[in-house]
């Protein structure tokens, strides 16, 4: 896989110019969803590359990360004269970078693309590391390819305008990266006030966080091993997300990850002697900033069933990434159902539910 160029800046227009002036292409396409077309694209209208680009738009939301939107992107690019020598910019959250990345990777057998993530969640996760694709037959990310954007422009300029819940959602993935890196990276994140809205301070933290993910991806781009470290918080997190969906009360992905991190901290203590004092710090932080995901012992079996169907599970076992300590990563830990139930009990105590 080629080396991905990641730029950290709050001057996005200059970054676009500095990247594109050295590239050869006959036509530029900017893929947006209706939100970023309305709120973000106009902020870049003065840029001469963007002013000349063809805007390709999709409807917002994960529900539209589907074959119809993909076909419409291929169609719009084709009808506007896209060729093998064209170039794509994906301007949006995870749906736009995933779908736009896949559209570019497959149009005329693949044209280059640049990601400009506009949410914290996509900046810290989806836009980096080459996972592209769409949902299909009700299954998330069922069709796609690994193919990295040649360049990614990471900025907090757009993030400052997002609702605080969206910022918190992305911040949960940053907490995950901090835990994977080590104690001091994690402490720095716990000490930052998410509600302060300081884009430059957030950009510094975001840079450290993205570099942690990029380093893992460099070691294992196709997720044969250590990339599974990035699943920390996600086994329980995905189960909470699916369960909330079944209960018709969907929760944001990052909130589910934050609650999943509490479960994985507890499991890490039970299985790998992770320091109990740190569990309390994590649980307190999560409770204060994210509240709690509520469930009772009557829900345990349904949650376990969802975990057995998680894509990380190969033969119905419950598979988690755990930690011996911050920075001491243990991938592929198989968790017995009774151990997970013990973790649920402790989670409910910690979250006062
Ligand atoms: N979202 C986890 C990964 O990119 O592998």
């Amino acid at each position: 896989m080629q080396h991905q160029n990641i730029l950290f800046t709050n001057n996005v227009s200059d970054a676009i110019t500095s990247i594109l002036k050295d590239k050869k292409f006959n036509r530029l396409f900017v893929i947006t969803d209706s939100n970023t077309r309305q709120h973000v694209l106009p902020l870049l209208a003065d840029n001469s590359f963007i002013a000349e680009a063809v805007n390709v738009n999709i409807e917002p939301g994960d529900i539209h990360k589907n074959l119809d939107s993909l076909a419409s992107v291929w169609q719009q690019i084709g009808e506007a004269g896209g060729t093998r020598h064209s170039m794509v910019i994906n301007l949006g959250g995870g749906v736009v970078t995933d779908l736009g990345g896949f559209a570019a990777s497959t149009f005329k057998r693949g044209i280059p693309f640049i990601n400009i993530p506009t949410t914290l969640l996509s900046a810290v996760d989806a836009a980096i590391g080459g996972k592209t694709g769409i949902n299909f037959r009700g299954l998330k990310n069922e069709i796609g390819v690994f193919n990295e954007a040649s360049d990614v422009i990471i900025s907090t300029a757009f993030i400052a305008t997002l609702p605080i819940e969206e910022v918190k959602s992305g911040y949960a993935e940053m907490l995950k990266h901090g835990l994977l890196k080590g104690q001091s990276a994690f402490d720095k994140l716990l000490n930052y006030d998410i509600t302060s809205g300081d884009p430059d301070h957030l950009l510094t933290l975001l840079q450290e966080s993205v570099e942690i993910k990029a380093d893992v991806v460099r070691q294992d781009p196709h997720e044969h091993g250590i990339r599974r470290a990035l699943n920390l918080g996600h086994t329980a997190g995905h189960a909470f997300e699916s369960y909330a969906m079944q209960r018709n009360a969907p929760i944001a992905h990052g909130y589910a990850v934050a609650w999943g991190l509490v479960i994985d901290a507890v499991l890490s203590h039970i299985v790998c002697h992770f320091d109990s004092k740190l569990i309390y710090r994590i649980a307190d932080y999560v409770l204060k900033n994210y509240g709690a995901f509520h469930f009772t012992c009557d829900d345990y079996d349904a949650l376990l069933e969802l975990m057995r169907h998680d894509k990380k599970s190969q033969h119905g076992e419950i598979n988690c990434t755990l930690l011996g300590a911050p920075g001491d990563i243990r991938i592929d830990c198989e968790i017995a159902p009774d151990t997970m139930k013990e973790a649920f009990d402790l989670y409910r105590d910690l979250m006062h539910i």
Side-chain angles (χ1 to χ4, degrees):
M1 208 178 259
Q2 67 179 41
H3 175 70
Q4 184 168 53
N5 173 38
I6 306 176
L7 253 97
F8 298 88
T9 176
N10 274 335
N11 193 335
V12 177
S13 180
D14 282 1
I16 292 172
T17 304
S18 78
I19 290 169
L20 290 183
K21 71 179 177 11
D22 296 327
K23 294 196 191 289
K24 288 199 180 359
F25 53 90
N26 64 357
R27 193 149 296 166
L28 178 65
F29 294 89
V30 180
I31 304 182
T32 54
D33 67 22
S34 307
N35 292 327
T36 56
R37 181 173 62 176
Q38 189 185 346
H39 298 294
V40 184
L41 194 55
L43 304 177
L44 301 171
D46 287 347
N47 181 285
S48 56
F49 287 105
I50 299 291
E52 298 225 328
V54 177
N55 178 211
V56 170
N57 195 60
I58 59 171
E59 290 307 310
D62 198 62
I63 191 171
H64 292 111
K65 200 173 104 176
N66 61 17
L67 199 51
D68 287 343
S69 306
L70 177 67
S72 136
V73 169
W74 284 328
Q75 176 121 8
Q76 291 178 66
I77 294 178
E79 282 176 359
T83 72
R84 277 192 111 155
H85 305 286
S86 297
M87 162 87 65
V88 163
I89 292 182
N90 296 314
L91 183 68
V95 171
V96 170
T97 58
D98 279 12
L99 186 145
F102 186 53
S105 301
T106 44
F107 184 78
K108 305 270 186 198
R109 298 204 177 91
I111 58 176
F113 63 100
I114 295 167
N115 283 340
I116 308 181
T118 56
T119 64
L120 189 57
L121 191 59
S122 60
V124 77
D125 194 15
I128 309 288
K131 285 187 177 175
T132 73
I134 56 165
N135 306 328
F136 187 61
R137 290 174 56 237
L139 300 167
K140 292 207 33 131
N141 302 319
E142 178 75 347
I143 306 294
V145 292
F146 283 101
N147 187 28
E148 288 193 321
S150 59
D151 307 80
V152 185
I153 302 173
I154 302 277
S155 146
T156 51
F158 314 125
I159 291 164
T161 64
L162 295 173
I164 188 66
E165 290 73 24
E166 281 238 26
V167 179
K168 287 183 179 178
S169 198
Y171 204 73
E173 295 282 0
M174 291 173 64
L175 293 172
K176 176 193 82 178
H177 291 162
L179 280 167
L180 294 174
K181 177 72 177 175
Q183 188 69 55
S184 77
F186 187 58
D187 283 345
K188 232 188 265 183
L189 293 166
L190 286 193
N191 292 333
Y192 173 73
D193 176 8
I194 319 179
T195 57
S196 71
D198 171 357
D200 293 330
H201 188 179
L202 185 58
L203 186 62
T204 315
L205 293 172
L206 184 54
Q207 176 159 0
E208 285 175 18
S209 196
V210 166
E211 281 167 358
I212 294 165
K213 170 159 182 181
D215 185 45
V216 171
V217 170
R218 256 191 303 275
Q219 294 173 56
D220 178 22
H222 293 133
E223 200 168 317
H224 297 306
I226 192 62
R227 186 163 181 167
R228 290 203 280 273
L230 299 173
N231 293 329
L232 185 71
H234 282 66
T235 300
H238 281 152
F240 292 159
E241 245 181 310
S242 303
Y243 201 49
M245 190 82 84
Q246 286 173 11
R247 297 200 293 201
N248 285 324
I251 53 178
H253 175 69
Y255 278 60
V257 170
W259 297 318
L261 287 175
V262 177
I263 296 281
D264 279 353
V266 170
L267 284 171
S268 294
H269 176 66
I270 299 171
V271 179
C272 317
H273 309 294
F274 185 80
D275 184 1
S276 60
K277 286 200 280 306
L278 199 46
I279 303 180
Y280 286 106
R281 283 186 69 206
I282 296 170
D284 284 352
Y285 185 92
V286 169
L287 187 57
K288 183 166 151 243
N289 288 290
Y290 299 86
F293 182 69
H294 286 253
F295 57 93
T296 70
C297 44
D298 293 340
D299 302 309
Y300 286 9
D301 285 332
L303 288 167
L304 289 178
E305 198 49 28
L306 286 167
M307 289 179 190
R308 288 192 193 97
H309 288 101
D310 191 276
K311 65 177 184 296
K312 294 177 284 302
S313 169
Q314 289 180 9
H315 41 83
E317 83 292 2
I318 298 171
N319 180 306
C320 291
T321 294
L322 300 181
L323 300 166
D328 173 10
I329 301 163
R330 318 281 173 91
I331 58 168
D332 291 331
C333 298
E334 197 167 319
I335 305 298
D338 283 348
T339 308
M340 188 57 85
K341 287 185 181 174
E342 193 184 336
F344 287 157
D345 286 341
L346 289 167
Y347 165 93
R348 289 173 55 220
D349 284 349
L350 287 162
M351 306 305 261
H352 312 304
I353 55 171

